[in-house]
Amino acid sequence: MTGRLSLAATPIGNVGDASARLRAALTEADVIAAEDTRRLKDLARRLDLSVSAEVIALHDHNERDRAGDLVQRAVGGQWVVVVSDAGMPTVSDPGFRVVEAAVAAGVVVDVLPGPSAVLTALALSGLPTDRFCFEGFLPRKEGERARALAGLAAEQRTMVFFEAPHRLAATLRAMVEAWGGEREAAVSRELTKTYEETRRGPLVELAEWAVAGEPRGEIVVTVAGRSAQAPTLEALVSEALARVAAGERAKDAVADLATTSGVPRRDLYAAVLAAREDARR
């Protein structure tokens, strides 16, 4: 008997989104590696399923140690199913190290597709979907977050982020500082649930809304990429100063912006120095 490893997407809110393949996997698998075993049991209860598989906890703190054992079980002929609390395993959730080890061992790996908070929020945002990137959770520390956002300043694809409710306001304010308040964005919460909500508008308006009352539930932030239109010298100077304030060397920030914008490096550097001098007066 040939074993295999399956990554199974679980509902992100509405249990009715559980696929027939997920239902079969939960009842027929030999081993289920779950991010939270209690949530898995609750999901099975709500789906009215009987789980006979051995259920093993697989989370960020033990995945490195558990990966080898799970792969050996698949090598031995067992069907190992990996599930996260919601959505697709490996996408800001455990599972990557298990897949990495399985691929190295020549184990068959397949996916049972299903709900995705990333794609659901992207589709709801009203922003361009032809090209996008997923950035997961931004760093929690203010300086690290500012540097991460500065590094995305030239990104032209629509960007999707996960965020915790209590950090949403600070993150949106940081985005305003890094990219300007007029950048279009959307904040989605409680996706597929009864109180699902998506707010759309300029970053500055969304930041004000988040500050006024902390939104609850799981949050996805979708932000438009930078316009392909050539930026003005003033905009480039502002972006360079923001990156310098976040800890980047002025020469490095100017070199990067000059390359992406086509503006002569000497002219941009001179404008940045002049702006810094004016700010000191």
Side-chain angles (χ1 to χ4, degrees), residues 4-257:
R4 73 181 192 272
L5 174 74
S6 296
L7 303 176
T10 54
I12 59 177
N14 191 323
V15 72
D17 293 334
S19 71
R21 294 181 70 191
L22 171 65
R23 290 171 179 269
L26 294 181
T27 57
E28 299 172 15
D30 298 300
V31 181
I32 299 176
E35 184 177 7
D36 187 323
T37 59
R38 293 168 300 179
R39 291 198 181 189
L40 171 66
K41 292 176 182 177
D42 181 61
L43 174 62
R45 178 189 59 78
R46 288 185 289 148
L47 292 173
D48 195 25
L49 299 176
S50 177
V51 175
S52 60
E54 179 182 359
V55 177
I56 298 175
L58 181 74
H59 46 70
D60 290 338
H61 302 295
N62 71 1
E63 183 179 0
R64 186 183 295 274
D65 296 328
R66 290 276 168 88
D69 175 61
L70 291 172
V71 169
Q72 285 307 307
R73 288 169 181 259
V75 170
Q78 292 185 308
W79 183 12
V80 179
V81 174
V82 177
V83 297
S84 59
D85 289 346
M88 178 60 67
T90 76
V91 181
S92 282
D93 278 326
F96 166 72
R97 295 194 181 281
V98 181
V99 174
E100 184 180 42
V103 170
V107 170
V108 174
V109 179
D110 62 12
V111 170
L112 314 184
S116 165
V118 176
L119 297 181
T120 301
L122 179 66
L124 284 170
S125 70
L127 298 173
T129 60
D130 54 335
R131 298 177 67 241
F132 68 93
C133 59
F134 174 59
E135 292 294 327
F137 286 92
L138 287 166
R140 298 185 180 187
K141 294 183 179 180
E142 183 177 347
E144 294 177 1
R145 181 176 58 210
R147 284 190 287 274
L149 292 174
L152 292 169
E155 179 60 68
Q156 294 184 11
R157 295 172 294 180
T158 298
M159 297 170 283
V160 184
F161 303 85
F162 285 164
E163 191 51 278
H166 63 280
R167 292 196 297 268
L168 177 62
T171 292
L172 291 172
R173 288 197 299 266
M175 288 178 172
V176 170
E177 293 175 2
W179 303 332
E182 296 308 308
R183 183 83 69 93
E184 289 295 318
V187 176
S188 298
R189 68 181 193 89
E190 297 290 81
L191 290 172
T192 76
K193 298 180 183 178
T194 302
Y195 299 104
E196 175 184 303
E197 177 184 23
T198 294
R199 293 247 177 182
R200 306 172 183 85
L203 278 171
V204 66
E205 293 182 7
L206 294 175
E208 292 171 354
W209 163 72
V211 170
E214 181 180 299
R216 297 181 179 181
E218 297 184 354
I219 304 289
V220 185
V221 180
T222 311
V223 186
R226 191 184 76 175
S227 172
Q229 181 178 357
T232 64
L233 181 61
E234 292 75 11
L236 290 171
V237 169
S238 178
E239 188 172 322
L241 292 176
R243 291 170 64 162
V244 170
E248 189 172 353
R249 292 179 55 204
K251 288 186 177 180
D252 293 337
V254 167
D256 180 51
L257 291 170

